[in-house]
Amino acid sequence: MLVACELILEELAKYLETFLIESNAHWLRLHFNRIYQKSFQNKNILKLQKWCNDILIKNPNKVFESEDFTSLQENALISLIERDDLQMEEVKIWNYIIKWGIAQNPGLSSNPEDWSDGNILALKSTLKNCLPLIRYFQMLGGDIYDHVKPYKKILEENLWDDLIKRYMTPDRPISSVVLPPRVILTQELPHRLTEPFSNVINEEHAAEIASWIDKKADTYSMTNNPYEFKLLLRGSKDGFTRDSFWDLCDNQKHLVIVIKVKDSDKILGGYNPVGWDKGFFDGYKICKELYFLIEKWCCTNFYFKSCKMYNRSDLLF
């Protein structure tokens, strides 16, 4: 598709773009990070860019908290922060924009008190297309004071004056453009299954495991879990044998395995993002994997749940 765009084969590029979105969305999700980056390398792949952003506006941390956030292309960043439905607090968007801008200026201190006039002008120039997209007048006064004030010199003078005026004398007119507040999406994900997908874990467990996988500080609820858990193998039905595992799980990526310990309430499990490969050294690979333990115990007739998470690096599995 990128080749078609470079050769100005617009009709072919549009066809491939539509085909991928409508017929291969699962493949796009599996390779999301790469697809997202590549789509913004060509200004003509608009449908794919929108498809990616429609996912990211609901889960913005996938971009803003990623390790390579500061290497994000400017057009990709702008396409997100200009969206009215970006699900992130405005002050957080501001902080990420500042972080991105500083990273584009090697050697620039993270402390604005150390900046020279040249440093201020450089950052202002870097962020000239981003700053007008921030909803300053939708921030709380405390956020303006704590997070925006230290960088007020990169703002237009009339904007800072209008911010002060708005919070001190809200009835007075201002000259700055006041962007509307972002739309908060409240729609919950539909219930996916009519019967339990597992005899070992429930929807609540699945949401918590998904939170660990995404390294979220706040746990997903059962209604906003972005992942669908599909049953591949059930030992009681498919057998607890090596052959049944390889027949049903070979080369399956993003695999969660859970095992209930006999005669106890303990559930052991692990998450494998890259998948087992039967043909690769008898299934062994090197990767980072997430292990977890879910344990229940009874106390004064009430049940409590204890969930522990373990991160293991460079493990053989």
Side-chain angles (χ1 to χ4, degrees), residues 246 248-253 255 274-279 285:
W246 287 123
L248 298 172
C249 300
D250 189 21
N251 286 312
Q252 293 286 348
K253 296 182 179 180
L255 196 66
V274 299
W276 277 270
D277 185 349
K278 185 178 181 181
K285 293 181 183 177

Side-chain angles (χ1 to χ4, degrees), residues 54-231:
D54 285 345
I55 293 175
L56 291 175
I57 57 104
K58 298 176 183 177
N59 300 281
N61 287 343
K62 286 185 176 293
V63 170
F64 291 102
E65 291 188 2
S66 65
E67 294 180 356
D68 55 354
F69 164 68
T70 54
S71 63
L72 190 67
Q73 296 169 215
E74 183 189 36
N75 61 334
L77 181 60
I78 289 174
S79 72
L80 273 178
I81 64 174
E82 70 181 358
R83 292 276 297 251
D84 290 334
D85 50 357
L86 178 59
Q87 301 300 288
M88 179 173 279
E89 293 179 54
E90 205 64 33
V91 66
K92 289 185 178 180
I93 298 173
W94 165 263
N95 288 336
Y96 281 120
I97 293 302
I98 294 296
K99 177 182 178 180
W100 181 86
I102 291 175
Q104 310 313 304
N105 292 272
L108 183 61
S109 169
S110 59
N111 185 359
E113 294 182 359
D114 297 334
W115 294 351
S116 65
D117 291 342
N119 294 147
I120 294 170
L121 289 175
L123 183 61
K124 185 174 182 178
S125 176
T126 299
L127 296 177
K128 64 182 180 181
N129 296 320
C130 296
L131 294 177
L133 301 175
I134 300 296
R135 320 294 170 99
Y136 302 97
F137 295 94
Q138 309 305 330
M139 292 187 193
L140 298 175
D143 290 336
I144 292 291
Y145 185 85
D146 293 336
H147 298 277
V148 179
K149 182 176 178 291
Y151 305 96
K152 67 178 183 179
K153 291 184 179 180
I154 68 172
L155 303 178
E156 297 299 328
E157 185 175 349
N158 70 306
L159 173 57
W160 180 250
D161 289 343
D162 283 342
L163 282 170
I164 298 300
K165 187 186 297 184
R166 170 56 63 91
Y167 287 102
M168 294 186 67
T169 55
D171 295 333
R172 293 189 180 183
I174 57 177
S175 60
S176 299
V177 175
V178 179
L179 296 176
R182 298 187 191 271
V183 178
I184 304 300
L185 303 178
T186 57
Q187 182 178 0
E188 294 184 342
L189 297 177
H191 187 66
R192 301 183 180 99
L193 301 171
T194 57
E195 60 182 26
F197 64 90
S198 171
N199 292 334
V200 178
I201 62 173
N202 55 33
E203 293 278 3
E204 184 181 1
H205 293 139
E208 192 153 16
I209 292 169
S211 304
W212 294 339
I213 291 172
D214 281 352
K215 299 179 181 179
K216 286 181 62 67
D218 299 323
T219 304
Y220 289 124
S221 70
M222 290 185 289
T223 55
N224 74 350
N225 183 355
Y227 302 105
E228 181 177 1
F229 283 59
K230 294 182 178 180
L231 182 65

